[in-house]
Amino acid sequence: VQYPAWAPLFGEIHGDIHGGNVLVDGNGSFWFLEHSSAGRGHAISDLVDLLAEVLFVQMPVPMVVVMMVMMVVVMVMMVVVAR
């Protein structure tokens, strides 16, 4: 069986990442809460959800910064898929 290059990027994801579902303890460890939306999906989806939360909700930034960050995310995805 031949799998597509992006197949290893699928797995268990949180599914609802945002500031209210992430805690940081005194040691700097991250704890993810509320796993009711967890399931199988693309690994990038949680990263994109968290990025959107930070950019648009926690600290709104100018659109040019958003576009630059999204370009970097796309480039990283292309490198990962190319491997």
Side-chain angles (χ1 to χ4, degrees), residues 14 16-23 32 34 46 49-50 53 58:
H14 184 276
D16 188 26
I17 293 286
H18 58 77
N21 285 343
V22 180
L23 294 178
F32 297 98
E34 202 255 304
D46 277 342
D49 287 346
L50 187 56
E53 167 75 11
Q58 299 299 323

Side-chain angles (χ1 to χ4, degrees), residues 14-67:
H14 184 276
D16 188 26
I17 293 286
H18 58 77
N21 285 343
V22 180
L23 294 178
V24 182
D25 67 16
N27 296 323
S29 297
F30 289 87
W31 297 87
F32 297 98
L33 308 174
E34 202 255 304
H35 297 276
S36 62
S37 298
R40 294 197 48 81
H42 198 283
I44 297 293
S45 65
D46 277 342
L47 174 62
V48 170
D49 287 346
L50 187 56
L51 182 62
E53 167 75 11
V54 170
L55 290 177
F56 298 115
V57 178
Q58 299 299 323
M59 54 177 195
V61 296
M63 187 53 76
V64 67
V65 175
V66 173
M67 296 305 292

